[in-house]
Amino acid sequence: MSKRAYNFNAGPAALPLEVLERAQAEFVDFRETGMSIMEMSHRGAVYESVHNEAQERLLSLLGNPTGYKVLFIQGGATTQFAMLPLNFLSEGKVGSYVMTGSWADKAFKEAKIAGGAHVAATSEDKKFLAIPELGSIKPADNAAYLHITSNETIEGTQYQEFPDTGSLPLIADMSSDILSRSFDVSKFGLIYAGAQKNLGPSGVTVVLAKEELIAESPSNIPTILRYSTHYKNNSLYNTPPSYSIYMVNQVLKWIEEQGGLAGIEVKNRDKAGLLYNTIDGSGGFYRGVAEQGSRSIMNVTFRMQSEELEKKFIKASEQEGFVGLKGHRSVGGLRASIYNAVPYESIKALTDFMNHFQKTQG
């Protein structure tokens, strides 16, 4: 096998090597059925056991919160941006949104189309390089929910703690940091996450919701866009992305082996610490973009003195086997996405490269 790349892609992103190897071993013949799991009927007992196992495993990793259901839906987090307001904005209600950057903005715009959106807080004055103070978040009086984006992949910011919304449902897009750390699920009415950063390959979006919120949906929206359709049919109303769900189950198993969320959080904080310390200790050669108290442990964004130098850095890094270090095209700069599956060794290799680059170019 050729050497594995140092994969810092923002998504689809690195998967654990152990998971890929296990999937490879049972790719052609799954559990002695003479078929790959991707060739099987989603109505069959073999597939359904994997489907249910993935749901149970996710709940177990989150401490088995009572009254929550896991759904597997297609269309990415982007479809969730529309499903949320369609399902929850009854007459006279609005969705309240905390504006923290590119992804929060996309969610907000969909709610505007689907019924009504309100800005509960924004960090636009800080160029979205910080998460607003929790005390500044003011949902509308007629809010149906408060929506947050727990981690902004493009700007590299992350909530360090979550707002307490009382009886108002708190909804979070956790696409880029779900299962990266321990958190209290009971604060949330609904959480959604595209799988392709921390949960598995692209193709499936995981929704974790309080059952009371998704048991009944408005009958005037298309059947497939109702949460109740997926809830009542155990996410098997239509053909699910079965292979992606199988892979999610494998990744969840791997997270259990890392010591669950507590174990994975220690590893993630070590990785982020090493990288941020290299940036902060470079005497200004590298400069962290996000404000200190809002820094993400999943997407580390940084700049250098000139775009010229950044281009040089990217070119040199690619020659050394590093992939995906270019910042998002909307903001430029540099970004290392260090999701759960990115090993510490990759971060160590990157910081060694950064130190060497500074010596030769500084």
Side-chain angles (χ1 to χ4, degrees):
M1 185 170 117
S2 61
K3 185 170 164 282
R4 297 271 291 160
Y6 297 120
N7 186 353
F8 294 99
N9 278 326
L15 283 161
L17 181 58
E18 300 96 311
V19 167
L20 293 171
E21 287 171 342
R22 285 174 206 170
Q24 182 182 39
E26 49 188 29
F27 185 74
V28 176
D29 186 2
F30 185 65
R31 295 185 185 169
E32 297 177 347
T33 56
M35 289 180 284
S36 171
I37 191 161
M38 65 163 83
E39 299 177 285
M40 283 176 194
S41 165
H42 63 294
R43 303 281 176 215
V46 177
Y47 171 71
E48 213 159 326
S49 70
V50 171
H51 187 93
N52 294 335
E53 199 179 292
Q55 293 173 338
E56 285 155 21
R57 209 167 235 130
L58 179 59
L59 288 169
S60 154
L61 280 165
L62 293 166
N64 287 314
T66 48
Y68 285 81
K69 174 77 175 163
V70 174
L71 307 176
F72 296 128
I73 302 181
Q74 293 171 75
T78 311
T79 297
Q80 293 307 304
F81 297 163
M83 271 181 82
L84 288 167
L86 288 172
N87 279 266
F88 298 141
L89 295 189
S90 52
E91 194 63 41
K93 292 280 193 183
V94 296
S96 273
Y97 286 73
V98 181
M99 306 302 279
T100 45
S102 312
W103 294 108
D105 185 54
K106 285 193 160 86
F108 173 78
K109 282 178 174 151
E110 288 297 294
K112 256 170 110 169
I113 296 167
H118 158 264
V119 176
T122 181
S123 54
E124 192 173 6
D125 57 325
K126 296 183 169 175
K127 296 197 170 91
F128 298 123
L129 298 178
I131 297 292
E133 296 286 323
L134 296 191
S136 73
I137 300 172
K138 302 276 185 277
D141 294 339
N142 61 336
Y145 56 82
L146 177 73
H147 179 283
I148 64 170
T149 307
S150 61
N151 182 80
E152 288 279 2
T153 52
I154 292 177
E155 291 79 11
T157 61
Q158 184 178 35
Y159 282 77
Q160 307 304 309
E161 49 188 313
F162 296 116
D164 190 345
T165 55
S167 61
L168 182 70
L170 177 61
I171 292 178
D173 174 0
M174 286 196 181
S175 293
S176 49
D177 69 343
I178 193 165
L179 303 190
S180 65
R181 54 183 175 171
S182 305
F183 69 98
D184 179 4
V185 178
S186 69
K187 280 190 151 185
F188 296 87
L190 185 149
I191 290 164
Y192 63 96
Q196 66 275 12
K197 299 171 193 288
N198 254 358
L199 291 173
S202 57
V204 63
T205 301
V206 172
V207 173
L208 172 75
K210 280 189 177 164
E211 296 188 55
E212 69 213 44
L213 281 181
I214 57 171
E216 296 302 331
S217 297
S219 56
N220 63 341
I221 61 174
T223 311
I224 196 71
L225 295 177
R226 296 175 204 165
Y227 286 119
S228 60
T229 301
H230 302 281
Y231 171 69
K232 287 169 182 165
N233 293 281
N234 192 31
S235 302
L236 293 164
Y237 174 75
N238 65 327
T239 309
S242 49
Y243 195 75
S244 292
I245 293 167
Y246 155 80
M247 287 294 285
V248 166
N249 190 37
Q250 292 289 347
V251 171
L252 296 174
K253 203 180 285 185
W254 176 82
I255 292 174
E256 287 172 349
E257 291 159 4
Q258 309 308 304
L261 296 197
I264 216 101
E265 178 167 3
V266 169
K267 292 183 179 189
N268 285 333
R269 293 202 182 278
D270 284 350
K271 292 183 328 195
L274 176 61
L275 188 45
Y276 282 121
N277 288 341
T278 302
I279 292 165
D280 296 340
S282 70
F285 186 77
Y286 302 107
R287 184 172 44 79
V289 173
E291 283 190 15
Q292 284 273 5
S294 298
R295 281 176 164 183
S296 168
I297 59 168
M298 293 282 100
N299 309 97
V300 177
T301 49
F302 58 104
R303 302 289 318 225
M304 295 168 78
Q305 281 103 323
S306 68
E307 284 187 25
E308 208 49 53
L309 202 53
E310 288 171 356
K311 280 182 187 144
K312 217 179 217 183
F313 178 91
I314 289 160
K315 197 172 174 190
S317 73
E318 284 168 353
Q319 283 164 353
E320 295 298 321
F322 295 94
V323 175
L325 290 172
K326 207 176 184 169
H328 189 272
R329 62 186 179 278
S330 64
V331 293
L334 303 157
R335 169 177 63 175
S337 294
I338 53 173
Y339 303 123
N340 289 353
V342 177
Y344 186 86
E345 297 72 44
S346 292
I347 319 296
K348 180 74 179 76
L350 175 59
T351 55
D352 288 349
F353 169 78
M354 287 166 73
N355 291 330
H356 177 74
F357 187 82
Q358 182 174 359
K359 274 199 189 90
T360 59
Q361 302 291 329

